[in-house]
Amino acid sequence: MSRTVTVAAAQLGPIQKSEGREVAVGRMLRLLERAHQRGAEVVVFPELALTTFFPRWYTENLDDADHWYEQSLPSPATQPLFDAIRRYGLTIYLGYAEIAHEADEQGVVRKRRFNTSVIIAPNGEVILKYRKVHLPGHAEFATHRKVQHLEKRYFEVGNLGFPVVRAPVGRAGLDVNLGMLICNDRRWPEAWRVLGLQQVELVLLGYNTPAVNQDNRGFEAHHLRVLHSQLAIQSGCYQNACFGVAVAKAGKEDGFELFGHSIIVNPQGEIIAMATTWDDELIVADCNLDMCELGRTTIFNFEKHRRPEAYGRIVEQVGSSAPPVWKPSKS
Ligand code: CDV
């Protein structure tokens, strides 16, 4: 019997700054109902799914920004999501801004902020938690930018690594090796490989990606924004022999565009479903997890072919360094 799991990417259209959690949750409930009707067992929502993409707004004192974060899950505002997944027997990926009161690296318990995602079982238990490692943007107000991207101000670097767990999903309870990434992580092959080394079968990831490069350091054609996103996800899936479900928050939030193009990708790196709007949209695909075997046992058989002794720079070095200069010995 094939190990097939039906997954849904629940893309969200824009959430405006003025809109509260009840607006987002109401729309997510409708997507969950449709996912259930279409036979999905796993539903993936975007990064920071419960609010607007608030890191575009500068706040001097972070304590004034607590309303963007979740202090607990479920909360009165998010309880309806938990009720729905229990009713429908769904496993979900939820991206949100997290406040945790926990010890830092020095052992000091303090208020900490992370860009977080969780996989939640139908009974409401958190199966796995991940905190975004690759935070893009900047920590201070950037005068050269039309739009701020203050993730480095609002969040600490995730401290949970890239965990993978085998867990039963949906009502049928098929065991699946599950892992997560958040937005910018998808562009880093190192992150995918750490998941691949744990035999991940299904990578769940949410994103909020501006349709325009806001760094103003040179022109980047709009279509390349989507190309680069898909290139990264397709190669991540292919090189690690896994499925990927990549889900956007899309459309114009307070005048600023985020692109959609949510996709589901198979271990051959092929897109098997893609969203075509920049609004709330559900795409569904059957993922036969046995497909992960081919890559894992042949071209990407890590045990046989990896050469970690040649990869030292990957972990020893952060920035790139210039190569030695070759000069001809005779002129
Ligand atoms: N939310 C993100 O991580 N966005 C980045 C943008 C800033 C490039 C991304 O990689 O999509």
Side-chain angles (χ1 to χ4, degrees), residues 205-279:
L205 82 96
Y207 61 92
N208 282 262
T209 304
V212 175
N213 186 335
Q214 300 289 356
D215 244 333
N216 298 345
R217 290 185 204 277
F219 176 72
E220 186 176 80
H222 294 184
H223 70 283
L224 295 178
R225 303 287 287 172
V226 175
L227 174 72
H228 294 157
S229 173
Q230 300 193 336
L231 200 58
I233 298 159
Q234 290 178 257
S235 55
C237 288
Y238 166 62
Q239 292 168 349
N240 296 283
C242 61
F243 285 87
V245 188
V247 186
K249 171 115 72 56
K252 257 193 189 173
E253 287 191 343
D254 295 294
F256 305 113
E257 279 178 2
L258 301 165
F259 68 69
H261 297 83
S262 299
I263 51 174
I264 303 175
V265 174
N266 73 16
Q268 299 286 8
E270 294 172 295
I271 295 175
I272 55 175
M274 180 163 71
T276 54
T277 71
W278 283 17
D279 216 324

Side-chain angles (χ1 to χ4, degrees), residues 47 53 132 136 149 151 183-184 186-187 208-210 225:
E47 172 191 36
F53 187 72
K132 186 173 183 179
H149 195 107
E151 283 196 61
C183 196
N184 191 260
R186 73 194 187 285
R187 304 181 194 274
N208 282 262
T209 304
R225 303 287 287 172

